[in-house]
Amino acid sequence: MATRAFVTDNPAPVETLSFRPKSSGVIPRGLTFLAVLLILLILAIIMGSIVWGGAGVVSWDFLSSPPEDGMEAGGVFPAIFGTVALVLLMVIAVVPIGVLTAIFMQEYTTPDSRFTRLIRVAINNLAGVPSIVFGLFGMGFFIAFVGGGLDTLFFSNSDGPVWGQPAIIWAALTLALLTLPVVIVSTEEALKTIPRELKEASYALGGTRLQTIWRVIVPQAMPGIFTGAILAISRGAGEVAPIMFTGAAYYLPYLPTKLNDQFMELGYHIYVMATQSPDIEKTKPILFGTVLVLLLLTFALNSVAVVIRSRMRKSRADAS
Amino acid sequence: MRELKFKPKSKLREFLGEKFIAVNAMVALIAILLIFVFIFKEALPVFTDPEVQEEASVGKMLFKQEYYEGRDPKFSWQPNSEVPKFSLYPLFLGTIKAALIAMLVAIPLGVGSAIYSSEFAGRRTREIIKPAIEMLAAIPSVVLGFFALMILATFLQDTFGLLFRLNAINAGIALGLAVVPIIFTVAEDAMTSVPRELRDAAIALGANPWQVSITMVLPAAMPGIAAGIVLGFGRAVGETMIVLMASGNAAIVSGSFVESIRTFSATIAAELAEVVFGDTHYTVLFFIGSLLFIFTFIINLAGDMILDRLKHRLQGKTR
Amino acid sequence: MHRDMSVKEAERKIAEKSMNIQPRVKVSATNLNFFYGKLQALHDVSLDMEENRVTALIGPSGCGKSTFLRTLNRMNETIPGTRLEGTVTLDGRNIYREFDEPSQIRTRVGMVFQKSNPFPKSIYENVAYGLRVNGIKEKHLIDQVVEESLKRAALWEEVKDKLDHSAFMLSGGQQQRLCIARALAVRPEVILMDEPASALDPISTSRIEDLIAELKNSFTIVIVTHNMQQAARVSDYTAFFFEGQLIEAGETQQMFTRPGIKKTEDYITGRFG
Ligand SMILES: Nc1ncnc2c1ncn2[C@@H]1O[C@H](COP(=O)(O)OP(=O)(O)OP(=O)(O)O)[C@@H](O)[C@H]1O
Ligand SMILES: [Mg+2]
């Protein structure tokens, strides 16, 4: 405890300040640490229970064979196939658009221009639109408007709808919009870290803006683009609400081969088995196995993204 | 020496390339506009079509209705009954209940762990916390829903002797787990962006490290934490699969948190597949979608605005 | 105004001499070596700083002035991976050994930074902060000290009607005086200032200089500055640092007129740095 007085000619009356010894701060430390512990615990319980329930089920056979007996036996191959096909289509759509948007935002405009701000607001809001609203939109826009439009224009004499029905392409495009912000943000992050000197060197050599972007900026940003694509896949592979009405099917005896085929998907498969199974006890092992497969898939993708990203940050940090 | 001949640069290519990039950049903007237009277009008959309004005018959706002669007026969501009932109130109640529980779970966990990670954790610990949060964020919501449905619900029912296995608390807890990463990320970001100079100033005044964190950094980052909570709330209201699987989906008007609930988002997911294209039920589901869209849009704008102002504030600019 | 000051100053010195008051060494650094990881930023620096005097630290950028200053209130300890050798004493007590907590030193040795850094709080709360974190809870006491500190920092008249306004409403010069008031509120005995006026316009700078002249009646002041005129104007003693070493220290008058070492002269006359 320190006691001290002013020696002063200041008019203000002087009192002695006696500082009190400080508490050690165990309470804020302890409470916040408790939050961390709880999160880790919950995570462990979720992972543990799913691995516990699913590990015995997942085998090569499980991964490579179709469901049988109303999903009470067999595997999940069509759902895996559908999921992979879905996210591949999605990535093909979302990556070029996302990357070009990021390039536009970082290289072509000043962050304060009104247009840029508008686009920024749009990107942020797109990221916040509930996924079920994307589902509604996919149904109203892609299936009814685009697909229906195609049908009236080109297939007016066919029996049923050709494009104006749930299909893997519509589901993939819906997901592409949903994951667009992921790709944009990740690419932008990469673009921001490219040293200005590199671009200036290219300009100084007489490169045009387009050449500079194509030859210097995009190659440099490749890890960021890759990360964005993987994060988008991981996100897309787990979303169910947007594809429920735009293309996913309960059960299909065949694999999707055309863009306007329906498809089975892991997340949707889980939802259907968990909520509509006539005998949940019989479905349970397969259900846990499917969840484990989906979880492993998303985690594997995420880990790859995290590793690339941290490598990228590190190499940048070393370089500067 | 021979002269080097440089090819003249194609002005046209440069121009077209630039325009192509700009067009792509507008996709996000166009998408938002299209979502707006197409969701609202399908919901519009609520305001314009007398046939739809017969069963589901705005008034009918908002206020108590006397569905059967002589019975008490009430709120009811029964779109497939003989007398279709489209009161949104039970769904609103369910949505709020689930979101409330979710926030009760997510705020302490998210803010607490963000404070610990930003202020108290050593580098090692932080390298555990952050990937753990990323892992939580990466869990697909259908998996969280599955977990709540198969494991959490049983645990809660057995532990507390609940009558209904699937209820607001069960769904809310799982929903909270989906919200934790949002709050954590935004809050932690706000706290770590409090400038070094401010921390130095506080330390130089004799504050202990924990005092710096709690009495200076935390208040300074408060707008960011608030933004995280706001954005998290938006997610809690919009999230679908978790509530669809874990809430029991009964549109009950009650104040109880241990009864089943039905939320806006789950209603769309559960019923859209069975509606007839363009009928009243279909229109009302799109109307609900419009409400969700508007709500999350406002939430996101607000969150962004708060974060923007925080950035300025921490840089020491006026307001 | 400056003339006024120097007259006062001269009177004070005469008075002190006639009363036979010997300036007392308040802070003393002995054989300081300081390391940022492997980089040695201070080499065997020894310097005494006297009570009621202003000691100016000058030298080219990167010579270790800020580093030295931060060893005097243990702020250096907030940077991980650093190491200090040697001793620093306050009133003869080793600040690294004889105090339980660094915060006890920092309330006695206050600091004002180069960039004004008010907290994103109200003017009042900025000044009250140091009191609150040191366990002062009595409202009337805090009110009193806030007012007194703002008065001493020559800011009271400008802000007394808007104490609850955000500190960011103030101009740069006012913000810096607020930071000085904030430092004064915990009633330190020593005030360290790291280029307190380098980001300010000439008028604000001169107000800060006047303030320093005023404050030295009650405090020991150590100030880092890049501005030679400023050093000459405000300080009683000057210490010249170069590449982590203390090259020369002495009375400001003498340092600026008859420096003992060629390098000091070169620096002061602007031949390098
Ligand atoms: N946090 C730090 N980590 C590593 N090295 C540092 C750190 N701070 C300062 N240094 C190094 O220590 C040396 C002395 O720095 P210091 O800041 O004390 O110089 P200075 O005299 O105050 O310079 P200036 O006039 O530019 O403020 C420099 O070489 C600097 O690069
Ligand atoms: Mg310095």
Side-chain angles (χ1 to χ4, degrees):
Chain A
M1 183 179 302
T3 308
R4 210 162 321 143
F6 260 146
V7 188
T8 175
D9 50 7
N10 204 288
V14 174
E15 267 194 69
T16 313
L17 290 179
S18 44
F19 291 160
R20 296 174 182 83
K22 300 193 165 84
S23 78
S24 59
V26 278
I27 293 174
R29 233 169 214 288
L31 283 181
T32 54
F33 186 61
L34 198 65
V36 171
L37 275 187
L38 265 172
I39 290 178
L40 294 178
L41 182 73
I42 292 168
L43 202 56
I45 291 175
I46 295 177
M47 306 304 294
S49 57
I50 289 170
V51 171
W52 178 263
V57 183
V58 179
S59 63
W60 176 246
D61 229 28
F62 181 73
L63 297 176
S64 62
S65 58
E68 285 157 30
D69 298 341
M71 297 185 191
E72 283 167 16
V76 288
F77 178 70
I80 294 178
F81 182 89
T83 305
V84 170
L86 175 74
V87 294
L88 282 183
L89 282 175
M90 174 202 84
V91 150
I92 292 170
V94 73
V95 166
I97 297 173
V99 169
L100 289 176
T101 305
I103 288 175
F104 181 83
M105 297 298 279
Q106 290 299 317
E107 309 295 330
Y108 273 96
T109 55
T110 52
D112 288 332
S113 91
R114 188 176 284 182
F115 184 59
T116 321
R117 285 224 301 266
L118 197 64
I119 294 185
R120 175 74 57 209
V121 167
I123 294 169
N124 288 345
N125 271 290
L126 202 58
V129 172
S131 54
I132 188 71
V133 173
F134 277 101
L136 283 179
F137 174 68
M139 193 169 158
F141 179 70
F142 287 122
I143 297 180
F145 184 75
V146 180
L150 286 175
D151 281 353
T152 36
L153 283 180
F154 305 111
F155 302 95
S156 46
N157 47 9
S158 111
D159 308 338
V162 179
W163 292 100
Q165 58 168 355
I168 191 164
I169 181 71
W170 304 139
L173 290 177
T174 307
L175 279 186
L177 285 184
L178 185 140
T179 52
L180 184 58
V182 177
V183 178
I184 296 176
V185 168
S186 176
T187 309
E188 274 192 285
E189 197 196 335
L191 292 176
K192 274 186 204 149
T193 60
I194 298 177
R196 169 188 285 279
E197 298 81 45
L198 216 59
K199 299 174 203 171
E200 277 166 2
S202 166
Y203 289 131
L205 291 172
T208 65
R209 187 130 75 158
L210 209 55
Q211 286 172 325
T212 307
I213 285 171
W214 197 238
R215 306 244 169 92
V216 179
I217 294 175
V218 170
Q220 279 283 317
M222 224 48 202
I225 295 171
F226 201 61
T227 311
I230 291 175
L231 287 177
I233 291 178
S234 140
R235 173 84 194 276
E239 283 289 346
V240 177
I243 59 166
M244 284 173 114
F245 317 115
T246 51
Y250 285 98
Y251 176 76
L252 289 173
Y254 55 88
L255 297 175
T257 51
K258 301 192 301 298
L259 288 181
N260 59 348
D261 279 343
Q262 291 200 337
F263 61 100
M264 291 177 70
E265 197 258 5
L266 282 170
Y268 190 56
H269 200 61
I270 292 168
Y271 165 65
V272 172
M273 281 197 293
T275 55
Q276 341 243 310
S277 167
D279 185 352
I280 190 70
E281 283 310 315
K282 271 197 187 155
T283 335
K284 221 173 184 176
I286 294 187
L287 186 48
F288 271 93
T290 314
V291 172
L292 184 58
V293 170
L294 177 60
L295 212 50
L296 289 179
L297 186 71
T298 36
F299 281 172
L301 287 168
N302 265 284
S303 321
V304 172
V306 167
V307 168
I308 296 175
R309 200 167 45 186
S310 71
R311 280 239 186 103
M312 184 168 76
R313 283 189 186 143
K314 216 173 258 160
S315 75
R316 288 280 143 69
D318 291 346
S320 63
Chain B
M1 203 208 277
R2 219 159 56 93
E3 252 181 73
L4 283 174
K5 273 233 177 77
F6 291 125
K7 261 198 259 167
K9 301 239 155 69
S10 161
K11 279 246 174 69
L12 184 67
R13 191 166 61 184
E14 193 73 13
F15 177 81
L16 288 179
E18 205 155 308
K19 283 287 165 277
F20 183 68
I21 291 174
V23 165
N24 271 285
M26 289 179 62
V27 169
L29 185 59
I30 294 170
I32 277 283
L33 292 178
L34 281 180
I35 292 175
F36 186 82
V37 169
F38 273 83
I39 306 285
F40 280 75
K41 187 171 68 85
E42 303 297 312
L44 203 61
V46 166
F47 302 100
T48 57
D49 186 342
E51 214 168 296
V52 170
Q53 284 176 329
E54 183 104 6
E55 285 165 358
S57 67
V58 173
K60 290 203 166 104
M61 288 190 278
L62 291 185
F63 303 110
K64 278 188 179 171
Q65 297 297 311
E66 193 187 297
Y67 290 110
Y68 303 101
E69 244 169 271
R71 298 240 201 111
D72 281 345
K74 57 175 193 166
F75 296 112
S76 178
W77 174 265
Q78 284 173 359
N80 295 325
S81 106
E82 216 157 295
V83 182
K85 308 179 191 71
F86 292 103
S87 170
L88 297 188
Y89 183 66
L91 310 183
F92 172 77
L93 207 60
T95 306
I96 290 299
K97 277 199 238 174
L100 210 66
I101 301 281
M103 297 318 278
L104 280 180
V105 171
I107 292 174
L109 289 184
V111 175
S113 54
I115 294 175
Y116 190 82
S117 169
S118 152
E119 302 298 316
F120 302 133
R123 192 187 289 183
R124 284 263 176 73
T125 328
R126 196 169 307 139
E127 273 168 18
I128 297 172
I129 299 174
K130 288 202 150 183
I133 297 281
E134 278 184 31
M135 216 162 153
L136 191 59
I139 298 179
S141 56
V142 68
V143 174
L144 283 177
F146 163 84
F147 173 77
L149 171 69
M150 304 294 285
I151 295 156
L152 183 63
T154 310
F155 170 77
L156 290 176
Q157 188 174 34
D158 292 354
T159 313
F160 300 105
L162 305 179
L163 193 56
F164 301 95
R165 218 177 141 265
L166 301 181
N167 52 51
I169 294 195
N170 183 46
I173 292 176
L175 201 51
L177 297 182
V179 174
V180 165
I182 298 175
I183 296 183
F184 174 90
T185 310
V186 180
E188 209 236 11
D189 202 42
M191 280 188 285
T192 48
S193 63
V194 171
R196 177 84 230 162
E197 292 90 57
L198 288 187
R199 294 175 186 267
D200 274 358
I203 293 169
L205 288 168
N208 276 356
W210 76 264
Q211 288 182 311
V212 176
S213 304
I214 302 300
T215 62
M216 201 280 292
V217 176
L218 199 58
M222 202 42 95
I225 295 169
I229 291 173
V230 166
L231 293 173
F233 186 71
R235 169 80 194 269
V237 168
E239 171 56 46
T240 308
M241 294 317 288
I242 295 174
V243 282
L244 180 61
M245 295 170 80
S247 71
N249 288 320
I252 304 169
V253 177
S254 105
S256 162
F257 282 85
V258 290
E259 285 178 31
S260 294
I261 54 165
R262 190 182 191 90
T263 70
F264 284 134
S265 55
T267 302
I268 300 175
E271 297 175 9
L272 194 64
E274 58 201 50
V275 298
V276 179
F277 192 89
D279 77 349
T280 306
H281 191 185
Y282 172 94
T283 306
V284 171
L285 291 182
F286 271 86
F287 181 72
I288 294 175
S290 310
L291 294 181
L292 282 180
F293 180 75
I294 294 174
F295 177 76
T296 47
F297 196 87
I298 292 172
I299 286 272
N300 281 302
L301 278 186
D304 277 1
M305 239 156 60
I306 301 174
L307 288 177
D308 231 37
R309 282 176 61 161
L310 176 68
K311 215 162 77 188
H312 283 273
R313 192 163 98 135
L314 288 182
Q315 286 162 359
K317 289 185 191 134
T318 311
R319 276 196 309 150
Chain C
M1 197 157 198
H2 283 292
R3 180 149 310 150
D4 224 38
M5 282 295 172
S6 49
V7 171
K8 245 189 177 169
E9 179 72 17
E11 281 170 358
R12 198 173 60 101
K13 280 201 173 135
I14 292 165
E16 276 178 0
K17 216 167 231 165
S18 68
M19 290 191 293
N20 207 7
I21 296 175
Q22 285 294 314
R24 195 166 64 88
V25 171
K26 182 75 181 174
V27 182
S28 171
T30 319
N31 305 117
L32 286 190
N33 289 307
F34 189 79
F35 303 85
Y36 291 106
K38 290 198 193 79
L39 176 92
Q40 185 167 4
L42 293 178
H43 299 263
D44 199 31
V45 173
S46 299
L47 183 66
D48 289 346
M49 285 141 278
E50 291 177 355
E51 198 163 24
N52 300 109
R53 293 287 182 273
V54 177
T55 305
L57 310 180
I58 62 170
S61 201
C63 66
K65 305 179 296 289
S66 299
T67 303
F68 176 71
L69 202 66
R70 292 167 67 97
T71 61
L72 303 182
N73 65 343
R74 294 179 64 171
M75 280 302 283
N76 53 332
E77 290 180 347
T78 64
I79 303 170
T82 60
R83 187 160 56 85
L84 178 85
E85 293 168 358
T87 54
V88 178
T89 60
L90 175 68
D91 291 337
R93 291 172 70 198
N94 186 330
I95 67 166
Y96 287 87
R97 294 269 171 74
E98 296 174 49
F99 292 86
D100 303 337
E101 277 189 56
S103 67
Q104 292 175 345
I105 298 302
R106 294 180 191 135
T107 52
R108 295 181 59 181
V109 182
M111 191 164 206
V112 175
F113 299 81
Q114 171 173 8
K115 223 180 110 230
S116 64
N117 52 358
F119 300 131
K121 294 174 185 282
S122 69
I123 293 171
Y124 180 94
E125 283 305 326
N126 261 277
V127 184
Y129 184 84
L131 300 174
R132 296 198 194 282
V133 294
N134 287 295
I136 308 287
K137 294 197 177 77
E138 299 81 352
K139 172 100 173 66
H140 70 99
L141 201 56
I142 297 178
D143 282 349
Q144 205 174 346
V145 175
V146 167
E147 175 173 347
E148 178 187 294
S149 308
L150 285 167
K151 279 183 174 151
R152 308 201 73 175
L155 190 61
W156 175 251
E157 287 307 318
E158 291 153 73
V159 302
K160 65 180 175 198
D161 299 324
K162 41 184 181 182
L163 291 176
D164 56 345
H165 288 205
S166 162
F168 295 142
M169 304 286 282
L170 301 174
S171 72
Q174 288 174 321
Q175 286 189 12
Q176 192 60 300
R177 275 181 281 143
L178 178 65
C179 292
I180 293 175
R182 182 174 68 183
L184 295 179
V186 291
R187 300 190 168 170
E189 297 146 56
V190 181
I191 302 176
L192 311 175
M193 300 183 165
D194 197 345
E195 304 184 42
S198 69
L200 302 179
D201 62 274
I203 293 177
S204 303
T205 301
S206 99
R207 296 198 65 163
I208 300 271
E209 287 178 10
D210 293 347
L211 187 55
I212 292 170
E214 179 67 36
L215 290 174
K216 83 171 176 187
N217 293 319
S218 334
F219 303 95
T220 306
I221 296 177
V222 186
I223 178 173
V224 173
T225 178
H226 271 285
N227 180 331
M228 291 307 114
Q229 283 83 30
Q230 186 171 69
R233 280 195 300 264
V234 302
S235 70
D236 305 286
Y237 296 101
T238 297
F240 173 57
F241 283 74
F242 187 74
E243 290 180 350
Q245 292 175 336
L246 178 61
I247 304 296
E248 190 178 357
E251 288 203 24
T252 300
Q253 280 261 314
Q254 188 176 349
M255 288 275 287
F256 277 79
T257 48
R258 290 166 271 115
I261 292 174
K262 180 78 169 52
K263 206 171 251 161
T264 316
E265 186 181 342
D266 287 351
Y267 181 71
I268 287 170
T269 53
R271 236 161 274 166
F272 73 95

